[in-house]
Amino acid sequence: MDERELKPANENPWYVLMTLHGEQDGDEIDEELHEKNRRAWNAWAGQALSEDGQAKAAHSSRVDLSELQSWRKMQVEINQRYSQEMRRRNDDHFSVPELPSPTEIISFMGIHTLNSIVFTGCVFPSFAYFRKATFNADVDFNNATFNSDAYFRNAIFSEDASFHNATFSADADFSDAIFNADVNVSNATFNAVAFFHNVTFSADAYFQNTTYNSVAFFHNATFSEDAVFRNANFSVDAYFSNSNFNTVAVFSLATFNGFAKFVKTQFGRQDSETIFKVDFADSQFEKPTSFRDAVFLHTYPDLTGTLFHDKTSFTPGVDFWPKETSQSAKEAREACGIIRHLLGKQGLPEDEHFFFRREMEFAGKTGSVLQNLPYKFFWLVSDYGHSIARPLCCLLGVGLVTAMMLLAGFATQDISLDNDWRFVEPFSLTFANMFKIFGFQRSVFGFEYLQGLPMWMQFIAGVQTIAGFVFLFFLGLGLRQRFRLR
């Protein structure tokens, strides 16, 4: 159980300053009220910024520059209203703290809010500290600008949280935070390190069009619903190792300019029958990327148009890829083909052949019944050129059956070269027929002997020869794959 000391929001001087003209207490956001609150907050915040800093903050927060330059004009009003609101919202015994300085830590630590909070367009001039804060209603940081570190470690967001188009100029730390409803971080910019490790996303998480200009940490994060990183730009390293994507993960058009790590990442909930799709369509990986030990439970990733670095790694093996999938055979085949080609260029023939076998399996499901028969036969007799045992068993099985048929014929007809070898001769003839490629047939039995056989025996001899060529070919494929130079 999370043992946190919850503090009423109205005892917090920064919260009162943020809601100086009143709290949002309805189902709909009062935009006029928010504008008054934002202007008062930004006037207070602007005094800690240089002229250049004010201009940059106004641009990123999409507010008029005058808001950040109006402290002298609004100073008296803000001080008076602040004292009045602190007294009004608390009991008579409450000691009113002085108006905080914008150069100090902006501390919302441990606050407990009941109403929606709107920080849209607000500027945080110094360290914004939201550790262990509990937001029980919607919270909106759209277009907010954090000029210093933003610290949301262990915060709980019970309702929707939005950081759309927010700008984080320094480190942004959301480690161990819990989002129990939708979170929207789309179009946000992280200019320093972004920490999202051990974060729990219980609903949809939207990170599309986000820009990460430094390292992004998402390891051990849990995405219970949709996780959308479409068109995200990771300028440096991105870590998603040991994370869980339980439903949908979308990385289409995402750009990874640094090291992207997905080691031991799990795509799909193991105890669920929910169909999970991993979408990397049109993504671009410009540096080595590791998907080693990543587990794809339900579907193969959509890799349509994806560009991988030559050193991208995938782990082959039945434990890491779907045993059955409901996605289209064409899409699964394309994914396996892309991975196979990638591993082939790395000189990993065994890993390459694992995805080749999967590629052939799905190729055998894309056409008509007649078109699929060759693939089925390829699998049956050789496991798509990987097995030694299958073609060898087929070779021995066909040889034994046809040899017994010839033996019956030899027992009833006087056609043996030597009656003393009547029961051995059918097996010798079978061996010579099936290994005709080595010349045993003509050198031992001769043309006239073969022409003297009954028509049905000649037909069986022909079947043996064809079977010998076919199964020896597949046996050769298996041997070549097994002893291929690595």
Side-chain angles (χ1 to χ4, degrees), residues 115-319:
N115 299 321
S116 297
I117 303 181
V118 184
F119 294 94
T120 298
C122 291
V123 177
F124 294 83
S126 55
F127 187 7
Y129 197 68
F130 289 86
R131 184 170 183 262
K132 291 189 176 182
T134 299
F135 301 95
N136 288 305
D138 294 347
V139 59
D140 183 347
F141 286 90
N142 294 341
N143 299 318
T145 296
F146 297 87
N147 271 16
S148 187
D149 293 347
Y151 199 88
F152 289 87
R153 184 183 287 266
N154 296 107
I156 296 177
F157 298 84
S158 299
E159 299 297 333
D160 293 349
S162 182
F163 294 84
H164 174 75
N165 206 50
T167 299
F168 297 88
S169 302
D171 291 350
D173 191 348
F174 289 84
S175 303
D176 299 293
I178 297 175
F179 293 89
N180 288 321
D182 292 350
V183 55
N184 181 10
V185 195
S186 59
N187 294 91
T189 300
F190 296 88
N191 290 317
V193 181
F195 296 94
F196 286 91
H197 49 246
N198 298 316
V199 175
T200 300
F201 297 95
S202 298
D204 295 341
Y206 299 98
F207 287 86
Q208 66 264 33
N209 299 303
T210 47
T211 299
Y212 303 89
N213 292 319
S214 187
V215 183
F217 292 98
F218 284 88
H219 54 257
N220 294 314
T222 299
F223 297 87
S224 298
E225 300 297 334
D226 294 359
V228 182
F229 288 85
R230 183 182 291 110
N231 208 40
N233 190 333
F234 296 88
S235 299
V236 193
D237 298 341
Y239 294 88
F240 287 86
S241 53
N242 295 296
S243 292
N244 295 315
F245 294 88
N246 290 333
T247 54
V248 175
V250 180
F251 286 86
S252 57
L253 295 174
T255 300
F256 294 87
N257 293 309
F259 184 75
K261 189 172 184 179
F262 287 82
V263 173
K264 293 186 178 180
T265 298
Q266 179 175 299
F267 295 91
R269 189 183 293 114
Q270 290 186 341
D271 58 350
S272 172
E273 296 181 357
T274 301
I275 301 303
F276 181 84
K277 182 178 180 180
V278 183
D279 187 351
F280 288 102
D282 300 308
S283 298
Q284 183 174 342
F285 298 83
E286 296 183 349
K287 292 188 178 181
T289 307
S290 176
F291 290 90
R292 191 178 306 280
D293 295 327
V295 179
F296 298 83
L297 291 177
H298 299 296
T299 64
Y300 290 83
D302 185 354
L303 304 179
T304 306
T306 304
L307 298 178
F308 286 109
H309 188 276
D310 288 346
K311 296 301 181 182
T312 301
S313 61
F314 286 90
T315 302
V318 295
D319 293 334

Side-chain angles (χ1 to χ4, degrees), residues 33-44:
L33 173 62
H34 167 62
E35 184 176 352
K36 292 180 180 179
N37 287 333
R38 187 198 68 228
R39 286 181 178 277
W41 175 274
N42 283 346
W44 168 82

Side-chain angles (χ1 to χ4, degrees), residues 352-429:
E352 176 190 5
H353 205 277
F354 172 83
F355 290 100
F356 171 76
R357 297 196 297 275
R358 294 299 177 96
E359 185 182 3
M360 290 295 98
E361 177 184 348
F362 291 114
K365 298 178 180 179
T366 56
S368 64
V369 175
L370 290 178
Q371 290 173 326
N372 293 339
L373 281 178
Y375 293 100
K376 302 296 183 185
F377 181 76
F378 191 17
W379 168 78
L380 183 65
V381 301
S382 71
D383 191 19
Y384 302 113
H386 187 258
S387 175
I388 295 175
R390 287 191 188 187
L392 188 59
C393 289
C394 290
L395 195 66
L396 294 176
V398 172
L400 182 61
V401 171
T402 55
M404 296 303 294
M405 296 172 67
L406 292 177
L407 179 62
F410 274 77
T412 57
Q413 301 182 49
D414 187 17
I415 54 175
S416 177
L417 289 173
D418 189 338
N419 288 332
D420 294 336
W421 296 92
R422 179 182 297 272
F423 296 105
V424 176
E425 196 167 318
F427 295 98
S428 300
L429 179 59

Side-chain angles (χ1 to χ4, degrees), residues 32-92:
E32 184 178 348
L33 173 62
H34 167 62
E35 184 176 352
K36 292 180 180 179
N37 287 333
R38 187 198 68 228
R39 286 181 178 277
W41 175 274
N42 283 346
W44 168 82
Q47 60 179 310
L49 302 176
S50 65
E51 290 185 3
D52 183 58
Q54 290 174 344
K56 290 180 178 179
H59 177 74
S60 60
S61 291
R62 299 186 179 185
V63 297
D64 194 281
L65 178 59
S66 62
E67 287 191 17
L68 295 163
Q69 297 176 335
S70 58
W71 172 244
R72 290 183 180 180
K73 178 181 177 181
M74 300 180 65
Q75 179 179 3
V76 175
E77 178 189 351
I78 290 174
N79 273 290
Q80 290 177 349
R81 185 175 287 273
Y82 168 76
S83 298
Q84 293 170 0
E85 286 296 306
M86 288 295 290
R87 292 190 182 93
R88 185 182 67 80
R89 299 184 192 187
N90 297 282
D91 58 39
D92 296 337

